[in-house]
Amino acid sequence: MHEMSLAENLRQVMEDQARQHGFQRVRTVWLAVSPFANVEPDSLAFCFDVVMRGSLAQGARLEIRQPPEEGWCLGCGARVMMTSRLDSCHNCGSEMLSAPAGSGVRITEMDVE
């Protein structure tokens, strides 16, 4: 379950940011999770709650967004916004789309005090 290691990495990022910016507590964290990151949002939320115990983000609310990613159609070359590997091209209808590489998880915003 790589969601646990993702949650641990998020904790480290938040602790680093707290040291740099002088905040003591994280109330809400917003994440952008690529639909191609192979992350199960419910599992990540569970792991987040477990990993954040005893940290500056204990009890923090986690908001997970899954914005579309830009891929391209292998049939016609059009750039296509994708939300899953099952999407089809809006231009030609082809289902032969190339999903973006290197998509993952990132913190987009934090509500801190």
Side-chain angles (χ1 to χ4, degrees):
M1 174 189 308
H2 73 272
E3 285 84 352
M4 187 63 77
S5 63
L6 286 171
E8 290 168 348
N9 289 341
L10 292 169
R11 179 178 175 163
Q12 186 63 52
V13 168
M14 288 185 278
E15 289 171 350
D16 292 346
Q17 289 297 308
R19 278 190 294 279
Q20 282 184 330
H21 301 286
F23 57 87
Q24 302 296 313
R25 186 174 180 301
V26 177
R27 293 189 301 204
T28 306
V29 178
W30 286 267
L31 298 180
V33 177
S34 168
F36 307 103
N38 295 319
V39 172
E40 174 56 46
D42 290 339
S43 293
L44 180 56
F46 174 80
C47 292
F48 181 88
D49 287 342
V50 170
V51 168
M52 297 308 149
R53 290 181 189 152
S55 79
L56 73 160
Q58 180 170 331
R61 192 173 85 225
L62 179 64
E63 296 288 334
I64 298 175
R65 300 176 183 148
Q66 290 189 288
E69 297 273 340
E70 186 176 72
W72 66 92
C73 177
L74 299 175
C76 71
R79 292 184 182 262
V80 179
M81 295 309 291
M82 300 175 64
T83 58
S84 89
R85 295 190 187 282
L86 302 176
D87 288 350
S88 59
C89 178
H90 61 81
N91 191 47
C92 72
S94 172
E95 293 179 351
M96 294 180 51
L97 302 181
S98 179
S103 299
V105 176
R106 64 185 172 87
I107 296 173
T108 58
E109 189 177 346
M110 290 191 294
D111 179 22
V112 300
E113 54 185 48

